Amino acid sequence: MEKLIRQYWWKALGVLIMVYVFTVGMLVPLKPGITTVAPSAARTGTDMTLDVTGYNTHFLEAEDSVRFWLKLDNERALAAKAVQVVSNNAVKVSFSIPEYLPSGEKVQPFSILMDNAIDGAIIRPDAVFVTQDSIHPALGESAWKNDPITRLHVYDGMTFPFRNILGETIRNTYYHVSLWLAMMLIFIAAMVYSVRYLRTLDSRNDHWAAALTTVGLLLGWLGLFTGAIWAKFTWGAFWSWDIKQFTTLIALLIYMAYFVLRRAFPDEAQQARVSAVYNIFAFVALIPLIYVLPRLTDSLHPGNGGNPAFGSDDLDNTMRMVFYPAVIGWTLIGSWIASLLYRTARVEESHWDGYEAK
Amino acid sequence: MLDNLKNTDFSPLKNIPMKSVRLPLTVLFVLLFQVLSFAQAQSADFMNSMGKMYVVVAVILAIFVGIILFLVFLDRRLTKIENQINDHG
């Protein structure tokens, strides 16, 4: 370890990984998507014209191949009667809705499915709610098969997924979520050094624990602030007392108390021993606060309120190619900062010792 | 060590060397609040334009400012120990 902190390869590696994360994370485009469909309600037996706006779409450039469906499932879908392209991101789509729906529901939500040669197939679930006056599923079935969904195109090229409320902020997965995982790794390392200190009573282990905890707190506060900015423009408020916001704030305050505790003891050995024990306690408190409690109740965060995190909905394979390097990159840079803090603490200690000896 | 602690003034402003750090720190904070209030005032149109791309920019700026503030803290800590080494040999 003493040799490693004076070597540069792993620091350079961390910087290179972050350069990769920032360039690829910012430059890869979002997959084309549908942002709005208006109106969102219709009645059977009427003609309806929908204003559809797209994001990163190429309606104009692929005008000849633009097709739309109102879709219940692959078997029951109604192709558009006419498609009038306004611009690359706007299109007017007309449907004549049959007398009967292919389902027994009075109000049935339908997805909008778009396909063109450039953007591939895009689906917007539950886009239009159609109300029927009388119910006759069998008659509906035959009417809702005017043009089967075939020959769909596939978008080629690397993209990040399009999510309607998130938009481009899905990239914050690399700049906000990765901070928390890096923080977790750093806090694990800090806890290991605290255990090592209690076993060896070697002050170097205590300095490592303090340095890593400082870095973990830096990453945690950055995570909290970046999360607040992201929340403002997706959830509507910087701070909404979401269970995960609340529990992570408590976890960070518990870790802040680590440094208050350190300053309270003038005797170095006592300070190191008490703070090592407290650090282990703080880590034990961190796990339920961040990983258990938010899953027990409703949360605005994805992956909470019963859902497992990092399902295919939240993180697809192209995102993994940036997300996991981001975690490694933040961890390496965090370790670099921690090694600087550790070296500073060593210099401070040797100076204090020398001063006291005189 | 205890003697030395007694002489240390823990008030935050006194420890900041007037010329070297206080001015850039103030400028940094003013800039930060300017950015924040700008983002607030423009939030509806500007931050939501371009598929909310500026939210990502704001997040990256926040990380940058956070790391710079941390560097200032580390700089001060090193200056302090350097001064002590110079004073007491």
Side-chain angles (χ1 to χ4, degrees):
Chain A
M1 199 55 75
E2 299 293 318
K3 220 180 245 175
L4 204 59
I5 56 176
R6 285 182 172 74
Q7 287 172 353
Y8 282 98
W9 62 269
W10 58 275
K11 302 168 189 171
L13 184 68
V15 172
L16 277 178
I17 290 176
M18 287 321 291
V19 168
Y20 162 82
V21 166
F22 278 106
T23 46
V24 176
M26 290 303 272
L27 291 182
V28 169
L30 290 196
K31 199 171 186 301
I34 293 174
T35 43
T36 57
V37 175
S40 58
R43 297 193 77 83
T44 50
T46 58
D47 280 0
M48 130 181 108
T49 302
L50 295 175
D51 284 309
V52 177
T53 50
Y55 189 76
N56 279 356
T57 46
H58 302 82
F59 294 140
L60 209 55
E61 287 166 47
E63 195 170 1
D64 298 335
S65 59
V66 177
R67 294 178 294 164
F68 273 88
W69 287 271
L70 266 183
K71 178 185 161 187
L72 183 62
D73 55 37
N74 277 332
E75 300 301 314
R76 294 171 286 181
L78 182 76
K81 188 176 64 174
V83 174
Q84 189 202 342
V85 174
V86 181
S87 72
N88 261 338
N89 290 326
V91 65
K92 286 179 184 298
V93 193
S94 307
F95 292 92
S96 25
I97 300 174
E99 286 292 334
Y100 299 102
L101 294 181
S103 81
E105 302 290 324
K106 182 149 176 59
V107 179
Q108 178 67 46
F110 287 90
S111 311
I112 287 279
L113 175 67
M114 195 286 302
D115 181 71
N116 72 43
I118 297 178
D119 304 321
I122 302 171
I123 191 148
R124 172 82 199 264
D126 299 338
V128 180
F129 289 75
V130 184
T131 313
Q132 59 182 351
D133 297 324
S134 46
I135 295 170
H136 203 312
L139 277 176
E141 293 264 350
S142 56
W144 283 75
K145 276 180 186 164
N146 60 345
D147 188 7
I149 302 170
T150 51
R151 297 172 289 111
L152 291 183
H153 298 86
V154 176
Y155 183 95
D156 23 279
M158 187 176 165
T159 52
F160 297 139
F162 176 83
R163 292 280 177 275
N164 208 30
I165 297 171
L166 294 183
E168 300 281 354
T169 69
I170 198 164
R171 296 171 205 276
N172 281 346
T173 312
Y174 318 129
Y175 313 123
H176 163 75
V177 185
S178 60
L179 286 173
W180 292 109
L181 279 180
M183 178 199 83
M184 203 60 214
L185 294 176
I186 297 278
F187 275 152
I188 288 173
M191 190 268 297
V192 167
Y193 274 107
S194 285
V195 173
R196 269 200 205 172
Y197 174 79
L198 291 177
R199 291 168 70 98
T200 61
L201 297 182
D202 181 344
S203 70
R204 280 178 300 182
N205 289 326
D206 175 56
H207 288 150
W208 269 122
L212 287 163
T213 306
T214 312
V215 173
L217 266 175
L218 171 71
L219 294 176
W221 283 115
L222 286 180
L224 210 69
F225 278 117
T226 54
I229 296 172
W230 195 5
K232 170 71 185 168
F233 300 102
T234 47
W235 300 343
F238 284 113
W239 194 263
S240 39
W241 294 108
D242 175 69
I243 178 76
K244 206 165 196 176
Q245 288 179 325
F246 184 54
T247 52
T248 46
L249 177 67
I250 295 198
L252 289 182
L253 290 176
I254 289 176
Y255 267 100
M256 293 284 276
Y258 172 80
F259 293 100
V260 178
L261 195 69
R262 282 182 81 81
R263 296 206 168 188
F265 293 93
D267 177 56
E268 271 169 39
Q270 196 184 9
Q271 167 193 321
R273 203 154 50 230
V274 173
S275 57
V277 173
Y278 183 81
N279 200 26
I280 296 167
F281 157 75
F283 183 78
V284 170
L286 179 72
I287 299 298
L289 280 172
I290 289 190
Y291 288 108
V292 181
L293 284 178
R295 297 194 178 189
L296 296 180
T297 171
D298 285 338
S299 170
L300 291 161
H301 276 90
N304 295 292
N307 313 318
F310 299 142
S312 56
D313 282 351
D314 301 324
L315 198 66
D316 77 346
N317 280 331
T318 45
M319 291 186 74
R320 278 172 223 269
M321 283 168 55
V322 187
F323 177 73
Y324 291 126
V327 176
I328 297 168
W330 284 127
T331 310
L332 284 174
I333 289 188
S335 311
W336 183 5
I337 299 175
S339 76
L340 294 180
L341 287 169
Y342 167 78
R343 287 159 76 173
T344 310
R346 297 299 294 165
V347 170
E348 280 167 358
E349 191 192 55
S350 67
H351 173 65
W352 282 117
D353 287 353
Y355 182 58
E356 269 177 304
K358 279 178 199 171
Chain B
M1 185 188 160
L2 274 174
D3 289 343
N4 218 300
L5 273 179
K6 265 180 223 153
N7 297 332
T8 315
D9 189 333
F10 283 106
S11 75
L13 283 179
K14 189 146 188 189
N15 282 339
I16 301 177
M18 186 68 177
K19 277 177 190 163
S20 57
V21 189
R22 208 190 278 183
L23 183 67
L25 209 62
T26 316
V27 171
L28 202 66
F29 270 115
V30 169
L31 272 179
L32 185 65
F33 282 110
Q34 288 288 320
V35 168
L36 274 180
S37 55
F38 180 74
Q40 273 280 36
Q42 303 276 314
S43 58
D45 318 321
F46 178 71
M47 293 302 271
N48 286 327
S49 67
M50 285 172 65
K52 302 185 184 178
M53 185 47 120
Y54 290 108
V55 179
V56 185
V57 175
V59 161
I60 291 173
L61 273 180
I63 295 172
F64 178 77
V65 170
I67 289 176
I68 295 293
L69 285 176
F70 189 84
L71 280 179
V72 171
F73 152 77
L74 189 58
D75 189 306
R76 281 179 53 201
R77 196 167 149 188
L78 279 169
T79 307
K80 208 193 262 173
I81 190 74
E82 271 175 355
N83 288 341
Q84 279 164 358
I85 288 172
N86 288 339
D87 291 349
H88 305 292

